[in-house]
Amino acid sequence: MPLTLTIRNAAALENGSPLALVLDRRGAVIGRAPTSDWCLPDPSLHISSRHCEIAFRDDTFIVTDVSTNGTCLNGAAARLPGPHALQQGDVLTIGPYEIAASLDAQAAASAAALAATPA
Protein backbone atom coordinates (compact mmCIF):
# COMPACT_ATOMS: atom_id res chain seq x y z
CA MET A 1 0.00 0.00 0.00
CA PRO A 2 1.50 3.35 -1.01
CA LEU A 3 1.91 6.33 1.28
CA THR A 4 1.21 9.75 -0.22
CA LEU A 5 2.40 12.82 1.68
CA THR A 6 0.80 16.03 0.35
CA ILE A 7 1.50 19.62 1.38
CA ARG A 8 -1.92 21.11 1.96
CA ASN A 9 -1.05 24.74 2.75
CA ALA A 10 1.05 25.73 -0.28
CA ALA A 11 0.19 26.16 -3.95
CA ALA A 12 3.80 25.59 -5.07
CA LEU A 13 7.30 25.22 -3.68
CA GLU A 14 9.83 27.90 -4.63
CA ASN A 15 12.50 25.29 -5.45
CA GLY A 16 10.23 23.46 -7.90
CA SER A 17 9.91 20.35 -5.73
CA PRO A 18 6.59 18.53 -6.01
CA LEU A 19 3.78 19.19 -3.53
CA ALA A 20 3.41 15.45 -2.94
CA LEU A 21 5.71 12.52 -2.25
CA VAL A 22 4.58 8.97 -3.00
CA LEU A 23 6.34 6.10 -1.26
CA ASP A 24 5.60 2.49 -2.10
CA ARG A 25 7.21 0.06 0.32
CA ARG A 26 10.28 2.26 0.74
CA GLY A 27 11.43 5.05 3.01
CA ALA A 28 12.65 8.60 2.47
CA VAL A 29 14.43 11.52 4.09
CA ILE A 30 12.59 14.84 4.26
CA GLY A 31 14.49 18.05 4.87
CA ARG A 32 15.72 21.30 3.37
CA ALA A 33 18.94 19.83 1.94
CA PRO A 34 18.89 19.39 -1.84
CA THR A 35 20.11 15.82 -1.27
CA SER A 36 16.92 14.92 0.65
CA ASP A 37 14.41 12.64 -1.02
CA TRP A 38 11.90 15.47 -0.59
CA CYS A 39 13.53 18.90 -0.37
CA LEU A 40 11.31 21.46 1.36
CA PRO A 41 12.56 25.04 0.93
CA ASP A 42 12.81 27.08 4.11
CA PRO A 43 14.74 30.37 4.07
CA SER A 44 13.94 30.88 7.78
CA LEU A 45 15.84 27.66 8.60
CA HIS A 46 13.10 26.12 10.76
CA ILE A 47 13.42 22.92 8.72
CA SER A 48 16.59 20.94 9.35
CA SER A 49 18.74 19.68 6.50
CA ARG A 50 17.67 16.19 7.55
CA HIS A 51 14.36 16.88 9.32
CA CYS A 52 12.57 13.55 9.52
CA GLU A 53 12.87 10.05 8.17
CA ILE A 54 10.17 7.76 6.86
CA ALA A 55 10.89 4.04 7.09
CA PHE A 56 8.86 1.09 5.84
CA ARG A 57 8.85 -1.85 8.25
CA ASP A 58 6.38 -4.68 8.77
CA ASP A 59 3.90 -3.21 6.22
CA THR A 60 3.87 0.10 8.14
CA PHE A 61 5.30 3.53 7.36
CA ILE A 62 7.08 4.97 10.41
CA VAL A 63 8.07 8.64 10.75
CA THR A 64 10.94 9.58 13.05
CA ASP A 65 11.84 13.17 13.89
CA VAL A 66 15.59 13.78 13.65
CA SER A 67 15.43 17.58 13.53
CA THR A 68 16.44 20.47 15.72
CA ASN A 69 13.04 22.22 15.78
CA GLY A 70 10.75 19.21 15.76
CA THR A 71 8.16 17.44 13.66
CA CYS A 72 4.65 17.74 15.09
CA LEU A 73 1.64 15.50 14.55
CA ASN A 74 -2.04 16.37 14.13
CA GLY A 75 -1.81 19.94 15.43
CA ALA A 76 0.07 19.12 18.62
CA ALA A 77 2.47 21.79 19.84
CA ALA A 78 4.93 19.19 21.13
CA ARG A 79 7.30 17.40 18.80
CA LEU A 80 7.03 13.67 18.17
CA PRO A 81 8.58 11.96 21.20
CA GLY A 82 9.69 8.95 19.16
CA PRO A 83 8.87 6.92 16.06
CA HIS A 84 5.21 7.09 14.97
CA ALA A 85 3.34 4.65 12.72
CA LEU A 86 1.58 6.87 10.17
CA GLN A 87 -2.17 6.48 9.92
CA GLN A 88 -4.65 7.58 7.26
CA GLY A 89 -5.33 11.30 7.74
CA ASP A 90 -2.35 12.07 9.98
CA VAL A 91 -1.00 15.60 9.45
CA LEU A 92 2.68 16.33 10.00
CA THR A 93 3.85 19.87 10.64
CA ILE A 94 7.36 20.43 9.31
CA GLY A 95 8.41 24.06 9.57
CA PRO A 96 5.66 26.09 7.87
CA TYR A 97 4.25 23.09 5.99
CA GLU A 98 1.20 21.00 6.86
CA ILE A 99 1.64 17.60 5.25
CA ALA A 100 -1.30 15.18 5.07
CA ALA A 101 -0.70 11.43 4.99
CA SER A 102 -2.83 9.18 2.83
CA LEU A 103 -2.47 5.42 2.70
CA ASP A 104 -4.23 4.36 -0.49
CA ALA A 105 -3.61 3.73 -4.16
CA GLN A 106 -6.10 6.38 -5.34
CA ALA A 107 -4.20 9.18 -3.56
CA ALA A 108 -0.93 7.91 -5.06
CA ALA A 109 -2.42 7.97 -8.58
CA SER A 110 -3.76 11.51 -8.06
CA ALA A 111 -0.37 12.74 -6.83
CA ALA A 112 1.40 11.13 -9.79
CA ALA A 113 -1.03 12.77 -12.24
CA LEU A 114 -0.52 16.16 -10.56
CA ALA A 115 3.26 15.80 -10.75
CA ALA A 116 3.05 14.94 -14.47
CA THR A 117 0.92 18.01 -15.29
CA PRO A 118 3.00 20.81 -16.81
CA ALA A 119 2.97 24.05 -14.82
Side-chain angles (χ1 to χ4, degrees), residues 7 13 15 17-18 30-33 36 38-42 47-48 94 97 99:
I7 297 173
L13 296 179
N15 66 353
S17 287
I30 300 171
R32 77 168 191 277
S36 299
W38 197 17
C39 177
L40 302 177
D42 180 30
I47 297 176
S48 296
I94 298 175
Y97 302 107
I99 301 171

Side-chain angles (χ1 to χ4, degrees), residues 15-111:
N15 66 353
S17 287
L19 289 175
L21 176 69
V22 179
L23 300 172
D24 193 6
R25 298 174 126 28
R26 68 176 181 87
V29 172
I30 300 171
R32 77 168 191 277
T35 55
S36 299
D37 296 304
W38 197 17
C39 177
L40 302 177
D42 180 30
S44 64
L45 304 181
H46 285 70
I47 297 176
S48 296
S49 295
R50 187 177 185 96
H51 198 87
C52 65
E53 299 171 350
I54 309 285
F56 183 76
R57 291 191 302 266
D58 301 323
D59 290 329
T60 303
F61 287 96
I62 313 260
V63 61
T64 303
D65 176 37
V66 293
S67 70
T68 302
N69 291 321
T71 301
C72 298
L73 180 69
N74 297 328
R79 69 188 305 155
L80 285 171
H84 170 77
L86 286 169
Q87 303 294 314
Q88 176 69 28
D90 276 350
V91 176
L92 298 171
T93 302
I94 298 175
Y97 302 107
E98 294 176 5
I99 301 171
S102 181
L103 292 161
D104 65 37
Q106 183 176 1
S110 295

